[in-house]
Amino acid sequence: MGKTKLTKKPRGRATVRGIAAAAGVSIGSVSSVLNNRHVERRIAPETVEKIRAAAAGLGYLPNISAKRLRSGGKNNVVLALVTSFEAPIPLVNHFIIALRAAMAAGKFPQAEGAFSVMIEMFPAGRLHELPGLLSGDHFNAAILLNTTAEDDAFLNRSPLPYPVVLVNRLIAGYAAVVEAPETGSRAAEILIRAKRRRLAVIHGSPLTQTTRARVNGFMHRGAELLGQPAHEIKSGTLSELAGYDAMRAFLKRGPEIDGLYAVSDALALGAYRALKEHGLKIPSDVAVVGVGDYEISPFFDPPLTSVGVSHQALAEEASRLLLQQLGGVGAARPTVTVPLTETLRASSGHRAG
Amino acid sequence: MGKTKLTKKPRGRATVRGIAAAAGVSIGSVSSVLNNRHVERRIAPETVEKIRAAAAGLGYLPNISAKRLRSGGKNNVVLALVTSFEAPIPLVNHFIIALRAAMAAGKFPQAEGAFSVMIEMFPAGRLHELPGLLSGDHFNAAILLNTTAEDDAFLNRSPLPYPVVLVNRLIAGYAAVVEAPETGSRAAEILIRAKRRRLAVIHGSPLTQTTRARVNGFMHRGAELLGQPAHEIKSGTLSELAGYDAMRAFLKRGPEIDGLYAVSDALALGAYRALKEHGLKIPSDVAVVGVGDYEISPFFDPPLTSVGVSHQALAEEASRLLLQQLGGVGAARPTVTVPLTETLRASSGHRAG
DNA sequence: TTGATTTGCAAAAACGATTTTGCATCTGAT
DNA sequence: ATCAGATGCAAAATCGTTTTTGCAAATCAA
């Protein structure tokens, strides 16, 4: 009845069609006005007003996909950084920069330098609810950060239909970038070489694949070389404050240590304060080794010795792998291990770096 | 001649049409295969193979805009964070989180919780070259960070045709979020209340709108209260190392100070080291005030007193303004001043916080 | 008045994908 | 031999835009 072809029930978001109907003009005129082309397209001033009013009244927001499709030139490679909300995000920056740098350097000529980077976030364990993840209609390729075991199980069940690089996670069928597995054992060796015998490791809980590997490597190598197990100090989260609290509680409990391995620099910084407050000197009383995940650990007091992989290296390698998959015809899904870098500074008794 | 309608010269990126031509099938079949719908669409196995081979051979990458347009449901609000490459980026994280939080909290119901966040980066001073900026076909709204004077001039000349929020920059016609102007004078007051008389400020160069305001406010208020000008220490960049170098050079030059204002916490941290190496105690010899732009300044040794606006508050306010403009019918382009927060810690002689 | 311009806009043709529809051609059962 | 159903695919419709084309009505020049 009233349902003529023109009216086309205005459910959902306003479109040019809706505005055209509301203003009683054609969609071409609407588009011309909305893009400020009304002068060269010779739209009458009162028509311009009618259209503007209708657009404002309907709360019109253009559909970016449609705009780009129609007028977006080539430029359409969309890369995504997918990470969980809960994760420590400073890492994300490195990936953004690395992706942009890799594209700018022409590592993926097809894009002709034009592409977009999106950030998608999901609640830990709910990766599968991320819109566009399975259909592949939100991005052309993705780097996945900070997934949980549940997310990993999902990824294993449902292979994503586009190039993906996992960071610090191994799942069959996916390319991955992981840190070298010897970080924990190397930390133990550094402390032991510095003549430390009563070791401890401080870590957050729950452990991730990566932090678990660090802790295990440290415990194992420490026990191997010293014949006695290291203490394990569990912090609630990976924050400085949590590290401080955990360390303080540990020191109050009594065990004496002379070497500490912190699985994140944030924990190391928190531990620094607890150690100092407890009257312990770094490194003379307790030597500390971190992992190098803070840019500013050279400016800790004393500067923090660290052994780990740089975020930058991780990000660069991940970008490289992603673009390689994007461009490559082959179905290679390599796992790349990023070599560790060891930076000896004053916190382990070495000269400041 | 050979240019039949079907072949449609395969210039540019491969499309379903190109694959269809190469494999000698229809584009519908290509789509079915590429989306793994070939079983329910009853495509013959050998046809599937032909299509897959053609797609791989052509290096096919789907056009995300087209995919989303066709099958993307509602979900199409695209928000962008536009920032310069050169900028200190940790700030970006806060904006991503704040945008997501604001959307999740239903501050913009039209999007029905579905939207995307993009990161666009440009070389300082070249904002105008960013694709999609003027045509508005890359995002529905943007937060602009770290523009230079040149970029600002461009923005002034060419108003962007979608909602925009500027951060720490004022340009007529744009909404903006800026830090309270009294940060510099408050820093001076804190140091003077702590009985400091020989003040200095350390800052990067070139000064931005914001850092200039901090320095000026500090110098002015210091001179007003003390009757003598503060020293000005110019660091090359805003990095810790630059701060360290500048501070060390200054101390070597001889002037004695007992109060220091650092216009970024990175500079403060660098200055910390220089001061300590020079045998000066913080705060007894020199009190230090920073701006609170590092999350971890409470864990500096000693914890850093700061007066400034929190990145989080800045980001939340910017997100709020952006969504308000997106939803609102009115053309309000407010400038919101984010109030400063003052955190007194040990570096200015207060008890640790 | 009449032909040539201008003005104002509607209608149609893209953009690149997905999904629906429709139509041959085979296969198998009777 | 005939018909029903399955099989395999091409063709068309659609998503929301922008741009091009075309055409009537109004204006101007003679």
Side-chain angles (χ1 to χ4, degrees), chain A residues 68 100 119 273 276 298 301, chain B residues 100 119 273 276 298 301:
Chain A
R68 271 186 100 146
R100 298 236 159 239
I119 309 276
R273 181 194 280 184
K276 291 173 180 174
D301 181 13
Chain B
R100 298 237 159 238
I119 309 276
R273 180 193 280 183
K276 290 173 181 175
D301 182 13

Side-chain angles (χ1 to χ4, degrees), chain B residues 244-303:
Chain B
Y244 168 73
D245 288 339
M247 192 71 211
R248 198 168 54 147
F250 174 81
L251 291 172
K252 204 171 285 175
R253 217 156 55 232
E256 295 210 338
I257 61 170
D258 58 9
L260 176 68
Y261 172 43
V263 300
S264 89
D265 286 0
L267 292 179
L269 190 53
Y272 262 46
R273 180 193 280 183
L275 289 167
K276 290 173 181 175
E277 283 183 9
H278 205 254
L280 296 168
K281 297 263 179 283
I282 306 169
S284 54
D285 296 322
V286 179
V288 181
V289 173
V291 302
D293 56 356
Y294 265 12
E295 315 285 326
I296 63 165
S297 57
F299 285 86
F300 283 15
D301 182 13

Side-chain angles (χ1 to χ4, degrees), chain B residues 17 33 37 51 75 85 93 143 182 185 204 208-209 275 301:
Chain B
R17 178 140 51 227
V33 169
R37 295 255 177 301
I51 292 175
N75 176 352
F85 278 109
N93 293 327
I143 292 180
E182 319 90 30
S185 58
T208 64
Q209 264 190 30
L275 289 167
D301 182 13

Side-chain angles (χ1 to χ4, degrees), chain A:
Chain A
M1 307 287 172
K3 240 189 240 170
T4 79
K5 183 73 184 173
L6 284 178
T7 330
K8 196 122 196 257
K9 55 170 80 171
R11 273 188 336 119
R13 275 226 321 249
T15 67
V16 278
R17 177 136 56 224
I19 299 175
V25 298
S26 75
I27 62 175
S29 301
V30 171
S31 175
S32 302
V33 170
L34 261 27
N35 290 41
N36 289 319
R37 295 258 178 300
H38 50 279
V39 42
E40 61 260 47
R41 301 273 170 76
R42 300 181 316 224
I43 307 289
E46 60 263 34
T47 308
V48 171
E49 270 325 301
K50 257 193 320 191
I51 292 175
R52 291 218 170 110
L58 292 173
Y60 174 71
L61 266 191
N63 180 319
I64 293 297
S65 300
K67 287 191 86 145
R68 271 186 100 146
L69 174 58
R70 175 56 224 243
S71 33
K74 351 248 126 236
N75 178 350
N76 255 329
V77 180
V78 181
L79 272 24
L81 226 59
V82 179
T83 181
S84 85
F85 277 109
E86 286 78 2
I89 334 215
L91 188 55
V92 170
N93 293 327
H94 291 275
F95 284 87
I96 299 174
I97 302 275
L99 274 176
R100 298 236 159 239
M103 292 299 275
K107 295 286 173 67
F108 185 63
Q110 288 94 321
E112 295 174 15
F115 66 103
S116 310
V117 176
M118 304 188 20
I119 309 276
E120 297 284 354
M121 303 186 77
F122 61 94
R126 311 266 213 104
L127 174 61
H128 60 282
E129 292 174 7
L130 192 70
L133 190 77
L134 279 174
S135 57
D137 56 9
H138 279 42
F139 33 81
N140 291 109
I143 292 179
L144 260 56
L145 296 172
N146 299 309
T147 52
T148 66
E150 271 173 283
D151 299 322
D152 295 345
F154 160 72
L155 289 171
N156 200 38
R157 276 198 309 278
S158 330
L160 299 183
Y162 41 81
V164 165
V165 174
L166 304 175
V167 176
N168 275 339
R169 234 134 209 115
L170 291 179
I171 303 180
Y174 293 93
V177 175
V178 296
E179 76 172 34
E182 320 88 32
T183 59
S185 58
R186 284 287 274 281
E189 289 163 9
I190 290 174
L191 289 171
I192 291 166
R193 259 189 277 133
K195 310 265 190 294
R196 309 306 159 131
R197 295 295 173 266
R198 289 156 306 163
L199 306 186
V201 55
I202 181 169
H203 63 77
S205 60
L207 287 164
T208 64
Q209 265 190 29
T210 309
T211 52
R212 181 186 311 282
R214 290 179 192 157
V215 171
N216 287 348
F218 180 81
M219 300 293 284
H220 185 264
R221 187 72 175 140
E224 189 174 59
L225 292 177
L226 297 174
Q228 60 177 346
H231 294 279
E232 204 173 324
I233 307 174
K234 278 199 185 73
S235 157
T237 69
L238 286 178
S239 72
E240 294 82 6
L241 188 57
Y244 168 73
D245 288 339
M247 192 71 210
R248 199 169 53 148
F250 174 80
L251 291 171
K252 203 173 285 175
R253 217 157 55 233
E256 295 211 335
I257 61 170
D258 57 10
L260 176 68
Y261 173 41
V263 300
S264 89
D265 287 0
L267 292 179
L269 190 52
Y272 262 47
R273 181 194 280 184
L275 288 167
K276 291 173 180 174
E277 282 183 10
H278 205 254
L280 296 168
K281 297 263 178 285
I282 306 170
S284 54
D285 295 322
V286 179
V288 181
V289 174
V291 303
D293 56 358
Y294 265 11
E295 315 285 326
I296 64 166
S297 57
F299 285 86
F300 283 15
D301 181 13
L304 183 65
T305 282
S306 60
V307 48
V309 306
S310 84
H311 284 176
Q312 190 185 331
L314 215 53
E316 282 171 1
E317 200 52 48
S319 302
R320 199 182 61 74
L321 275 190
L322 195 70
L323 299 191
Q324 175 186 309
Q325 280 184 83
L326 258 182
V329 288
R333 305 278 162 77
T335 294
V336 172
T337 300
V338 178
L340 54 81
T341 57
E342 190 179 296
T343 311
L344 299 175
R345 301 202 187 89
S347 73
S348 56
H350 297 79
R351 61 186 318 133

Side-chain angles (χ1 to χ4, degrees), chain B residues 309-322:
Chain B
V309 305
S310 84
H311 284 177
Q312 192 185 330
L314 214 54
E316 283 171 0
E317 200 53 48
S319 302
R320 201 183 59 75
L321 275 189
L322 194 71

